[in-house]
Amino acid sequence: MSRTRFVCGNWKLHKTVAESLELATAIKNAVGPLRDVEVAIAPVFTALHAVAKRLEGSSLGVAGQDCFWEDQGAWTGEVSAKLLKDVGCKYVIIGHSERRQHFTETDHAVNLKTKAALRNGLLPIVCVGETEKERDAGETFGRIETQLEGGLRELSNDDMLKVTLAYEPVWAIGTGRTATPAQAEEVHAYIRSRLSDKFGSVAEKVRIQYGGSVKPDNAALLLGQTDIDGALVGGASLKAEDFLNIIKAR
Ligand code: PEP
């Protein structure tokens, strides 16, 4: 089964509108037409509209870094999937470990947000991953299974075809420590086997990104693994040259 590689840059809480436009434009100009890889960038909420406009007609997609599960209402401070769609987003990252860790986001919230994204025509990138403590305690697979069960609850096979998963071991995010290709592949293969139990043959079509200190010099080996179908890139996506080298890594 061939799955089109998917690389998404998560800019986290970085860059003003002007700085975001500068970086997005540099990536757009350098990347040209894309054939065998799908690419998206996830700027801060306040830059989404301007960046989406700048990238119109290009092969780069725009992603929100989070969304709320209701479409509208008395929810001060929230941004809904409906509004992300309105400003030109195609994707939304859901359940990033920084949201789980600092904003107590639960698997139930991830599930509601994933459904809201799908309901509004956005393609969700659902993040899962274990902490260092969980890995050391031999709980990696159990943790991932719980996150998949909770986060993907009540999704249909058709829904699942629109979802990308991102395996991001928490101990590798922003730390410079990367999972070895073998460590990452072991968990990716596990995720695909759980998806196969839940969604049958659809599992072969679902893309599973790896995230956690992906850099130009380790991308080719990681992305060369059987069940690694792309990358969710934090730090290295803030430099156009590094991000481009990850996109092109072979
Ligand atoms: C991320 O933010 O999802 C991430 C993987 O960050 P980094 O690449 O910096 O580890």
Side-chain angles (χ1 to χ4, degrees):
M1 165 63 59
S2 75
R3 295 175 288 267
T4 303
R5 190 177 276 193
F6 178 24
V7 177
C8 180
N10 173 17
W11 292 2
K12 308 195 188 196
L13 185 49
H14 292 289
K15 301 203 176 285
T16 61
V17 175
E19 290 163 349
S20 298
L21 282 171
E22 193 183 333
L23 179 56
T25 307
I27 297 168
K28 175 181 138 171
N29 290 344
V31 85
L34 296 168
R35 267 182 300 276
D36 53 357
V37 59
E38 199 170 311
V39 179
I41 52 176
V44 293
F45 282 138
T46 49
L48 283 172
H49 188 225
V51 169
K53 278 252 163 258
R54 177 67 54 92
L55 297 182
E56 250 171 24
S58 81
S59 44
L60 295 172
V62 175
Q65 296 178 17
D66 180 33
C67 68
F68 189 52
W69 56 76
E70 295 290 341
D71 292 347
Q72 60 190 36
W75 301 100
T76 303
E78 290 296 336
V79 174
S80 66
K82 181 179 174 176
L83 296 185
L84 294 183
K85 182 78 181 170
D86 183 52
V87 293
C89 287
K90 180 173 175 190
Y91 313 89
V92 58
I93 299 168
I94 296 173
H96 190 280
S97 69
E98 286 152 17
R99 298 219 52 86
R100 293 178 187 261
Q101 193 181 338
H102 304 303
F103 304 97
T104 57
E105 195 153 300
T106 62
D107 292 326
H108 178 58
V110 170
N111 183 242
L112 292 176
K113 291 178 176 195
T114 302
K115 288 174 178 164
L118 291 165
R119 181 171 75 235
N120 284 286
L122 290 175
L123 304 175
I125 301 170
V126 178
C127 304
V128 297
E130 82 287 359
T131 62
E132 184 164 31
K133 203 165 151 222
E134 287 160 347
R135 174 161 281 262
D136 290 346
E139 290 167 0
T140 298
F141 292 155
R143 183 77 192 107
I144 302 290
E145 180 175 8
T146 304
Q147 290 173 332
L148 292 174
E149 270 301 315
L152 306 179
R153 191 178 301 279
E154 293 167 356
L155 263 55
S156 67
N157 285 8
D158 279 353
D159 289 336
M160 207 51 217
L161 287 170
K162 300 179 184 121
V163 173
T164 295
L165 286 165
Y167 168 57
E168 299 208 305
V170 179
W171 47 271
I173 297 179
T175 59
R177 279 179 68 195
T178 317
T180 65
Q183 277 175 324
E185 172 59 21
E186 184 185 30
V187 180
H188 280 239
Y190 175 77
I191 292 172
R192 202 172 306 284
S193 78
R194 301 310 306 171
L195 293 179
S196 171
D197 293 344
K198 276 176 80 69
F199 302 101
S201 61
V202 164
E204 282 303 311
K205 298 189 176 142
V206 175
R207 290 173 303 181
I208 310 173
Q209 297 174 323
Y210 169 78
S213 299
V214 176
K215 309 281 179 221
D217 61 357
N218 61 24
L221 263 183
L222 284 160
L223 299 182
Q225 303 300 303
T226 311
D227 290 290
I228 301 185
D229 309 311
L232 184 52
V233 186
S237 71
L238 292 167
K239 291 193 191 117
E241 195 187 341
D242 285 356
F243 190 53
L244 286 158
N245 284 329
I246 292 170
I247 293 167
K248 291 186 202 144
R250 286 292 179 274

